[in-house]
Amino acid sequence: MEYEEIQLLKQSEKSTVYLVREKGGSRIFIRKRLAGRHPVYQSLQKYSHPCLPELYEVVLSEDSTTIIEEYIEGQTSGTADLTGRQFRRVVRELCSVLEFLHKNGIIHRDIKPSNILLTRDGHVRLIDFDAARMPREDAEQDTRLLGTRGFAPPEQYGFAQTDERADIYALGVTLERLLGEKRRKTHYRHVIRKCTKLDPDRRYRSVRQVRRALFFGEWKFLLILLLILVGGAGMILLPALKERRLTENQEESAELTVLPAPGNPHWDGETGIVAWDNVPEAGIGEEVQFYLRLYRKDTAVSPDVNDDDWYFDQIVRVGGAHRDKETIAWNIVTKLQENGFYFFTVAAVGDGIRYADSPLVVSDAFEYTGEGAEPLSVPTGLEWRLYEKDNNRLYYAVWSNLDDYEEKDSFNVTFYDQDGAYVMNNTWSKSAIIEKGYGGISIPAQFLKSEPGSAYRFTVQVYSSRPNEYRSSPMPDPVPEEYFSPWLYCGPKEK
């Protein structure tokens, strides 16, 4: 087919991109001429996915590649102001197409907002495979060092051969850019940090893991909702849905018992602390686990559990001595942002082997009026304290002004390693700290390595239990040096 050029869209030493029209017709296409051979486009031409542009022609010569592909009307995701719902749709579709590509052995290597198009109906198209490659078993590192600085991982610059973890790194950076201020949410922040570890072995191993970390619990809730809505007809769909779950978790049995819903979900007075009756069968191993969603409303009208207008969600994990308590309490005061009425819904999380998640249940209302309240003071005098008990060394994060706070105030201690990577966090109330008798919050020994150069430090943020009177202590992002403790060296110092 012959084409006439309409407009030059891009030109560089590596590529020339034109908007073209078929001669004698009205259809519009994109024509790309790339320097060098790009056989990955021939592979892509064989596949079809709703989030990929259609490739009509791919011609490889000795020193160039010419592609005729679908023209897509829309805007790049980097220029869009996404709502929470739109963000979730974009990420789900982006994960879907990346899983599809990786399953077929294709690594994009240039994931970034400008390569993610949003069509007029709000769906995603992933474009620009000029840097894409197909890994080879006999290669130790990439032969062509392509990608965009700031989005490409270290191994993409010649340190190793890239695999799907390179796309996971770029996906994490992209999520951070698309989220903007929303990246401050703990759940998103932790997922992004794991995606963008400098060491590929410390990232998620697959995009499926990223997707499940971001949206854990949603499809299982939909299964329960479906069974409730369709009654007996749900039994027809149940085998197919269970087959999908069995693919992801081979240990799951064919029959799962739905956990009982947590009883008495309520706000603990005016503290900003949420509470509900424990479900001892919930969770995995030594932890009980619950799925929590938070809603803000202008009136005290309770949301429906099917309402997806929630703006924050997380998995609540409670272990150790607190695992068997009759009531689970959780301080979410840092998530109260604007004055209004707040509700939460909570479900018990099943282990996927014996139990399925419980239905969600909704709480009473809490009226938040502390948007302009003064923040609590920042913890000072941060240091490490060592205790030895039964030949075990226990390290505690402590601070000097514990007496400045109320017993129901909670302290979120976040631990980081020598590379600045997140290690773990613990949240204890002041009363729990006093009860344990060590004056601070411990880091379990399994998180501390004794290899040469291993070092750790921590930050502390106070979660107010009087949100209408005091806000939580500030925790800037990025965290300034003065908010960190001294280093704890667990191995020989590097010279």
Side-chain angles (χ1 to χ4, degrees):
M1 186 179 297
E2 295 185 353
Y3 305 92
E4 56 182 0
E5 297 173 352
I6 300 174
Q7 182 181 354
L8 176 64
L9 301 179
K10 176 183 175 182
Q11 188 168 29
S12 67
E13 292 181 0
K14 297 180 180 179
S15 67
T16 303
V17 183
Y18 272 95
L19 186 66
V20 299
R21 181 189 294 113
E22 59 179 337
K23 284 190 175 180
S26 58
R27 296 181 65 190
I28 296 176
F29 304 90
I30 295 293
R31 186 183 69 197
K32 301 173 68 172
R33 285 180 175 159
L34 309 177
R37 293 174 60 85
H38 296 259
V40 70
Y41 277 102
Q42 286 184 322
S43 298
L44 282 167
Q45 197 175 15
K46 304 173 187 175
Y47 303 126
S48 176
H49 188 280
C51 296
L52 292 176
E54 187 171 352
L55 301 181
Y56 300 102
E57 296 180 25
V58 177
V59 179
L60 267 65
S61 66
E62 290 186 3
D63 57 1
S64 67
T65 303
T66 302
I67 305 108
I68 302 294
E69 67 178 47
E70 175 186 8
Y71 171 66
I72 302 166
E73 290 190 69
Q75 65 179 131
T76 64
S77 61
T79 62
D81 185 12
L82 301 175
T83 66
R85 185 178 300 181
Q86 289 170 330
F87 170 79
R88 291 191 291 274
R89 173 189 277 188
V90 167
V91 175
R92 282 195 184 92
E93 294 187 359
L94 184 56
C95 287
S96 170
V97 68
L98 286 176
E99 287 183 59
F100 175 82
L101 291 169
H102 294 171
K103 181 180 69 175
N104 289 289
I106 297 173
I107 314 301
H108 188 280
R109 298 208 307 163
D110 202 14
I111 302 296
K112 57 185 178 181
S114 60
N115 282 339
I116 302 166
L117 290 183
L118 302 182
T119 61
R120 289 183 173 181
D121 60 2
H123 292 287
V124 161
R125 293 288 194 283
L126 180 61
I127 63 171
D128 196 349
F129 285 79
D130 300 357
R133 69 184 301 273
M134 305 182 78
R136 292 173 20 223
E137 293 183 1
D138 60 343
E140 294 184 356
Q141 65 184 48
D142 293 353
T143 55
R144 300 171 68 240
L145 308 183
L146 299 173
T148 301
R149 287 201 176 274
F151 291 87
E155 66 268 24
Q156 203 159 314
Y157 293 101
F159 297 103
Q161 184 183 196
T162 50
D163 57 22
E164 57 262 37
R165 293 171 298 179
D167 282 349
I168 288 171
Y169 182 98
L171 175 61
V173 180
T174 298
L175 294 181
E176 185 175 30
R177 301 293 173 87
L178 295 182
L179 279 166
E181 288 298 312
K182 300 185 188 71
R183 74 182 185 277
R184 299 175 185 270
K185 295 182 179 181
T186 302
H187 176 59
Y188 290 142
R189 189 168 66 242
H190 290 175
V191 173
I192 289 169
R193 281 176 176 164
K194 188 170 177 65
C195 285
T196 55
K197 297 284 188 183
L198 295 180
D199 181 354
D201 291 334
R202 299 182 66 185
R203 296 176 205 150
Y204 294 103
R205 296 187 301 277
S206 68
V207 176
R208 172 177 288 183
Q209 288 185 338
V210 179
R211 173 173 53 81
R212 294 181 69 184
L214 286 166
F215 305 113
F216 183 76
E218 289 191 11
W219 81 263
K220 292 186 287 182
F221 165 66
L222 291 175
L223 167 61
I224 296 168
L225 175 61
L226 182 63
L227 294 179
I228 293 172
L229 291 175
V230 302
M235 298 307 295
I236 300 172
L237 298 174
L238 184 57
L241 290 170
K242 282 189 173 176
E243 183 178 352
R244 173 186 172 187
R245 174 60 191 269
L246 284 166
T247 302
E248 296 185 352
N249 188 344
Q250 297 297 324
E251 297 180 331
E252 184 178 56
S253 63
E255 297 289 338
L256 293 181
T257 301
V258 176
L259 288 170
N264 191 28
H266 65 281
W267 294 84
D268 182 13
E270 301 294 313
T271 63
I273 296 171
V274 296
W276 58 86
D277 293 345
N278 194 7
V279 180
E281 304 92 339
I284 300 172
E286 297 302 314
E287 290 183 338
V288 288
Q289 296 182 7
F290 298 88
Y291 178 55
L292 180 74
R293 289 175 171 174
L294 189 61
Y295 301 76
R296 182 205 165 275
K297 302 290 184 181
D298 291 325
T299 65
V301 177
S302 176
D304 189 278
V305 292
N306 303 327
D307 184 358
D308 64 356
D309 193 27
W310 45 273
Y311 72 93
F312 171 79
D313 69 330
Q314 73 173 124
I315 298 297
V316 174
R317 297 177 170 88
V318 180
H322 299 280
R323 188 199 188 288
D324 297 319
K325 286 194 171 184
E326 291 186 5
T327 301
I328 302 297
W330 201 254
N331 192 322
I332 58 172
V333 68
T334 57
K335 308 304 180 293
L336 306 178
Q337 299 167 353
E338 300 177 4
N339 290 341
F341 293 89
Y342 286 80
F343 300 83
F344 70 92
T345 56
V346 62
V349 174
D351 60 7
I353 301 172
R354 296 167 299 166
Y355 300 107
D357 290 4
S358 79
L360 286 160
V361 287
V362 65
S363 72
D364 56 351
F366 168 58
E367 185 177 7
Y368 176 60
T369 60
E371 183 178 342
E374 290 294 320
L376 290 173
S377 59
V378 175
T380 58
L382 278 58
E383 63 179 357
W384 291 93
R385 190 170 295 168
L386 170 65
Y387 294 93
E388 298 201 27
K389 182 179 180 181
D390 301 328
N391 295 321
N392 291 321
R393 298 166 69 87
L394 305 175
Y395 289 99
Y396 278 77
V398 301
W399 48 98
S400 61
N401 60 334
L402 180 63
D403 292 339
D404 292 348
Y405 309 103
E406 297 289 324
E407 288 201 0
K408 282 195 173 183
D409 290 342
S410 298
F411 300 86
N412 181 54
V413 174
T414 305
F415 299 92
Y416 301 88
D417 67 14
Q418 68 278 359
D419 298 320
Y422 166 84
V423 176
M424 66 158 293
N425 69 296
N426 261 337
T427 304
W428 292 0
S429 66
K430 178 180 176 179
S431 59
I433 292 173
I434 294 172
E435 179 184 340
K436 293 177 184 295
Y438 291 106
I441 297 179
S442 66
I443 177 170
Q446 63 264 32
F447 289 94
L448 299 174
K449 298 179 180 179
S450 57
E451 301 168 355
S454 294
Y456 301 88
R457 58 180 181 170
F458 64 87
T459 61
V460 186
Q461 183 178 20
V462 191
Y463 291 175
S464 170
S465 62
R466 299 151 286 165
N468 287 335
E469 185 179 355
Y470 294 101
R471 289 184 292 118
S472 300
S473 69
M475 181 57 69
D477 184 13
V479 183
E481 282 296 315
E482 59 267 26
Y483 278 60
F484 283 98
S485 72
W487 288 102
L488 169 68
Y489 291 95
C490 294
K493 292 186 180 180
E494 293 181 335
K495 295 182 179 179

